[in-house]
Every structure is written in structure tokens, then in C-alpha cells.
Amino acid sequence: MTAGTPPVVDQQTWRAALDDLRRREKAATRELDAIAAARRRLPMVELPEYTLIGADGPVRLADVFAGRSQLITYHHMWTDGAEWHCGGCTGFTSQFTRLDFLDNYDARFVIVTNGPIAEALAYRDKVGNRMDWYSSSESSFGADMDAAPGEHFAVNVFLRDGDTVYRTWHTNGRGTEQLSHTFALIDLLPYGRQEEWQDSPPGWPSGPAYSGWLDGPDIARLYGKDSQ
């Protein structure tokens, strides 16, 4: 092997090192539980009525819930008229192919973009995305949810009481990683994400940030409508 490798030790030494790491992993799990408990206790903000555009035309934000009381939105970065849109957003949302389990939790997870709905739906089909898409191109919803045109991606969470919608949580940047199985799996590997910013031993394979990520054309080739 040309890359650096972990030291080879006997079983007892390996088990002791794993046990040390496991204590830290369990502490992190307990901290994540505490953070989730605090998230459940966050106050919320009442929103005005917004109208988005769906595949069948205008739809009130309250109706995007489709009868459920909880809603998660992923705000997909967008450039009008572009052939390919944010590779990170495209790859990230391609993970979510089975969301029916949210029905048991009275919840729904959808994509919102600032792009025109026709372009958004065409792009969804081109890359084989399986989620429901909505456009905020005719409202201030994207900007008001910290995902204005030309800005970064975001995740927002909402609670509905009748026709009244409340915003309960928001994150962006690396805060979205907790929704992903991609990074969880890659971080288990001995070489991790193989990106320069990571703290890795000398000799570990390393490249620019994002260099291992699938981009829009990769996703389309693998999953898009013309991939079969």
C-alpha cells in the first residue's frame, strides 16, 4: 500500500484503544441526546402566509404539509438557467429515496428552491431526485428562511396548527450533516473523508475539500431519467 496505514498491534492492544474511543463516542451520543432535548424545547416563530409553487401550481405553505403537522424543508441552491446546480445540494438530496417512514411521525420532508418550478422539476427528473420539489420564486419565503437567491443552502423545520405555520428550527453549512448517512459512513473509514482540513496522521491520502463528492453530472448518470 502506498498510503499511510494504522499501526498493527495485537488484539488486546486494539481492544483497549477501541474501548478508549468508545467512551468518547458514548459521551458524544449523550451530548447529541441533550442537544435534541434542547431542540424540542426551542420557542417558535409564527409565520405569515406564504404561497409556493408546486408541480400542480400555487400552494399555500400550510398545504405543503399535506395534512401533517410537521415539515422539514431543504433549500436547494439554484442559478436560473444553469445546466447543473449546486453539486453538494444535488448529491446530498439524492440520498433521500425513501421518506415514507416520516408518515408515522406526522411529518414530511421536501425540497424548496428559489428557481422557477418548471426548471426545478426538469432538473429533479434529470438527476433522478425522488423528493417533492417546490419553488419560492414568487415569494420571499426563501430569503425569509435564510436561503435567499444566490445564498447558501439551508434546512428549516416547521410546525402547523390548522392554517397557522410556525418556524421551529434552522441550520445551514455543516449543520446539515446530521441529516446525512453519507458522512457518517465515510467518517467510519480508516482514511475518513480524505480532505485537507481533516486531522489525519502523516501519509494519509488527502485532497481538496469536496474532491470526493459526486457532482450533478455524476448523480444524473447514476440515477437520472436517462440512466437506464
Side-chain angles (χ1 to χ4, degrees):
M1 299 179 68
T2 57
T5 59
V8 178
V9 296
D10 60 73
Q11 176 75 11
Q12 184 177 1
T13 303
W14 176 82
R15 179 65 65 180
L18 179 64
D19 288 345
D20 285 342
L21 182 62
R22 184 61 42 79
R23 282 188 282 272
R24 297 179 62 187
E25 290 173 339
K26 289 185 175 181
T29 298
R30 289 191 291 271
E31 177 61 13
L32 288 173
D33 287 342
I35 290 171
R39 186 182 297 117
R40 291 190 292 272
R41 289 165 172 79
L42 278 175
M44 59 187 183
V45 154
E46 182 176 346
L47 298 181
E49 185 170 296
Y50 290 99
T51 297
L52 305 182
I53 312 297
D56 298 322
V59 55
R60 298 183 310 158
L61 177 60
D63 293 327
V64 174
F65 285 73
R68 299 165 181 84
S69 67
Q70 301 171 104
L71 176 71
I72 305 167
T73 57
Y74 182 89
H75 297 256
H76 198 295
M77 293 177 65
W78 191 266
T79 302
D80 288 355
E83 179 181 7
W84 301 104
H85 298 277
C86 173
C89 292
T90 302
F92 183 84
T93 56
S94 72
Q95 302 173 82
F96 305 109
T97 59
R98 297 181 179 179
L99 292 168
D100 293 340
F101 68 92
L102 289 173
D103 291 345
N104 288 346
Y105 295 90
D106 194 25
R108 192 179 185 209
F109 183 21
V110 303
I111 289 177
V112 176
T113 181
N114 293 303
I117 189 61
E119 286 189 29
L121 295 177
Y123 186 71
R124 179 195 66 181
D125 293 344
K126 182 166 71 171
V127 299
N129 190 282
R130 302 288 294 276
M131 298 176 68
D132 291 321
W133 286 53
Y134 294 86
S135 168
S136 59
S137 62
E138 298 182 23
S139 78
S140 63
F141 180 71
D144 295 346
M145 298 301 111
D146 298 296
E151 293 186 354
H152 295 296
F153 57 91
V155 171
N156 282 282
V157 181
F158 308 93
L159 183 67
R160 181 182 65 86
D161 182 9
D163 288 335
T164 304
V165 176
Y166 302 89
R167 188 186 190 192
T168 65
W169 189 72
H170 163 267
T171 195
N172 54 25
R174 293 193 65 196
T176 63
E177 288 186 8
Q178 63 181 291
L179 281 69
S180 169
H181 66 257
T182 299
F183 299 115
L185 288 174
I186 295 172
D187 286 343
L188 292 178
L189 301 174
Y191 292 139
R193 303 186 196 186
Q194 303 179 41
E195 297 186 5
E196 292 169 339
W197 62 270
Q198 285 198 298
D199 181 1
S200 297
W204 257 231
S206 179
Y210 321 128
S211 57
W213 294 22
L214 295 178
D215 204 351
D218 303 311
I219 299 298
R221 175 176 51 80
L222 292 169
Y223 309 116
K225 64 179 181 179
D226 298 326
S227 63
Q228 301 302 322

